[in-house]
Amino acid sequence: MNSTEIYFKVVDSADRFGAANPQQLEFLCSVLSKCESDALSVALIDVFAKCGVIKTSFERQELAGRILEKLKPKCFLVLTDIIRSTISHWDVSVEQFPRYLAHVYGKAILIVALENKLENESDEKIKHALKTMRWWIGE
C-alpha cells in the first residue's frame, strides 16, 4: 500500500469503528506492519496534518496515534516540517503523537524544535498546542 491508501484505510476505520476498538486496532496493525515504514509514517502523520476541523478528527487522530505507538515506523520527514504542518490541527488530547516524535527524533531534538517554533509564534492556540506537546513528552 502507498501512503494515500494507508491514510484512507486508517480514516475509514476510525470513522466506522472509532479509535477504541481493540480488534480493529490489532487488525490494522497486522496489515500495516507489512507496509514500508516511510509510507506508513507519512500516512499517519497526514492524519494529524489533515484531520483537525471535522467531527471525527479526534477518533482519526487517536487511532493514528495508537498505530504510531504500537508500530513505531521510522520517519524520513523533517521534524520542523512535521510540527509546522500538524500543530494547528493536532488534537492536544492525543498524547501518542508527541511521544512518537520523541521516540523517532529524540526528546532533546523535539524540545529544541518546539522551543524554536514557540519563540516565533504569535497565535495563542498554536502556542498552547506547542506547550502541550512539550508537556506530553515530560518537559
Side-chain angles (χ1 to χ4, degrees), residues 9-10 17 28 32 48 65 69 78 89 92 97 130-132:
K9 186 165 207 58
V10 171
F17 304 107
L28 280 173
L32 298 177
F48 293 94
E69 182 175 57
V78 176
H89 301 288
V92 297
F97 183 55
L130 291 164
K131 290 175 183 176
T132 303

Side-chain angles (χ1 to χ4, degrees), residues 59-78:
E59 294 293 331
R60 290 176 175 192
Q61 289 187 19
E62 181 71 15
L63 181 59
R66 289 178 182 204
I67 295 168
L68 284 171
E69 182 175 57
K70 192 164 177 92
L71 299 181
K72 294 179 176 60
K74 291 183 171 98
C75 187
F76 68 91
L77 300 171
V78 176

